[in-house]
Amino acid sequence: MKTSDAAMACPDNKTAADLMAILPDTAQVVDGHLHIDDVDMVALAREAGTAVYVMSEPHIRKQLQDYRKWMSYHWDDVDIVYAGKAFLSKAMARLVADCGCSLDVSSGGELAIARAADFPPERIYAHGNNKTTAELAECLDAGIGYIVVDSFEELDRISKLASQRGMEQTVLLRITPGIAADTHDYIRTGAEDSKFGFGLNQGLALRAVRRALELPGITYGGLHMHIGSQIYALHSFAAAIEVMVEFMLQIRDELGVDTCLLNTGGGLGVAYGVPDDPATIKDYGKVVVDGIKEACEARGLATPRIAVEPGRSVVANAGVTLYTVGTIKEIPNIRTYVSVDGGMTDNIRTSLYQAHYEAFIANKADQPRSTLATIAGKHCESGDIVVSNGPLQSAEVGDILCVPATGAYCQSLSSNYNKQVRPGVIWTADGAWRWVVRRESYDDLLRCDVG
Ligand code: LLP
């Protein structure tokens, strides 16, 4: 074991019962097994196969309902726009629609999934800093509610496409408020630093609004910002909101136009580890809505319709990944590698962002995590690690290993590296489970290989 690791890590003797804060609301330990929605995860893994993502449908529904409840508690004109990039499938799109929420799509592919699920097009917001002309045409032809515009070229393209079709497209303009948040703090950055949106420096954002007002085929629908993701510090949102509302005032003063929709993006952080203590949806709702209302009142502006775009906080803790332990390699005085039947192809977040994950053995869920292990994937990279030197129950080949909090940005960032077939996604509810995305097969790998 490296000295630094040895000093930092130690078995914590926690059982799965101590990890409930990062598991779905409906998780329980029953006879030593992890259960979610009254489904035994060990039996499920053995029947459905591993690696597999399992998500609790009631947990996702509750998160969306909480957003609606706590945002509209403070202001009745709100729109909860689920960010599909966190996890999207037809079932997810239907659930979002069913909960009365809207959908953020960030590519033609996400739009295609929304359309395949018959998602109401008027509730779709399209994002991207470089939407292709084909993608913009798909948005217009689908009749989506809002295109969130990111550049002058895009404005011109939409105007042309809309004019050709004899229609008007409502747009929001994405503004870089000059506030970049990280997990626990925020820093101001120059607008020039971002590939997204229009900076407020040098009057670019105001020019964009003016252009949107002038161009044929375009209706100015309001403003958008997104300051970052996995944010714990709510004051970052408050600071950005002040900047945006000040800009709304400038738009009214200089262009004589009221901004009737302000979309403050996503970003609320979640707990990946036991000590993590993110803000609640309730607190977030208050900061966003009260922040906008107060900033508007102070400037004599009418409070606009308010939209937020949560992704991670809706699905992250709804999901777990189940793996089977395949090999265990104890390197004396160094570390123990517990290798599983997945890895960086189903969860790139550890190697990409040094993200922290916990792990436990689903068939020993009531036993203490009395050892230390590095959970390694099966791929041809040394960096293919899911958990680096974390506490774990004593592992044996054939154990079902569970990694919590993998519902967001794991399946959506998955890959076929090493020609690994991607895991499927199972949803649980009320004692039952079903596939919402099936596991890939070798035929799927060969489907596009026409050589
Ligand atoms: N709206 C826009 C315009 C966004 O770009 C994003 C995320 C969201 C909403 C949703 O943000 P959330 O509530 O999920 O934080 N792959 C990274 C996260 C990238 C987030 C990109 N944009 C990760 O795995 O941590």
Side-chain angles (χ1 to χ4, degrees), residues 388-407:
S388 182
N389 213 34
L392 192 69
Q393 289 88 348
S394 176
E396 293 161 281
V397 170
D399 277 342
I400 302 300
L401 188 130
C402 173
V403 177
T406 57

Side-chain angles (χ1 to χ4, degrees), residues 4 80 88 435:
S4 55
I80 310 304
L88 190 62
W435 292 102

Side-chain angles (χ1 to χ4, degrees), residues 83 85-86 104 127 174 224 226 228-230 265-268 272 309-313 349 353 408-409 413:
K85 63 200 69 138
D104 146 2
H127 281 279
R174 179 162 177 172
H224 174 276
H226 173 73
S229 199
Q230 183 59 0
L268 180 61
Y272 284 100
E309 279 173 351
R312 187 191 313 268
S313 51
R349 297 195 69 260
Y353 313 111
Y409 300 114
L413 280 171

Side-chain angles (χ1 to χ4, degrees), residues 9 18 24 109-110 125 159 180 205 217 237 239 248 264 368 381-382 431 436 440 451:
D18 301 311
E110 289 184 1
Y125 293 62
S159 170
F237 295 107
M248 285 166 56
T264 60
E381 305 268 342
S382 307
V436 296
E440 287 179 344

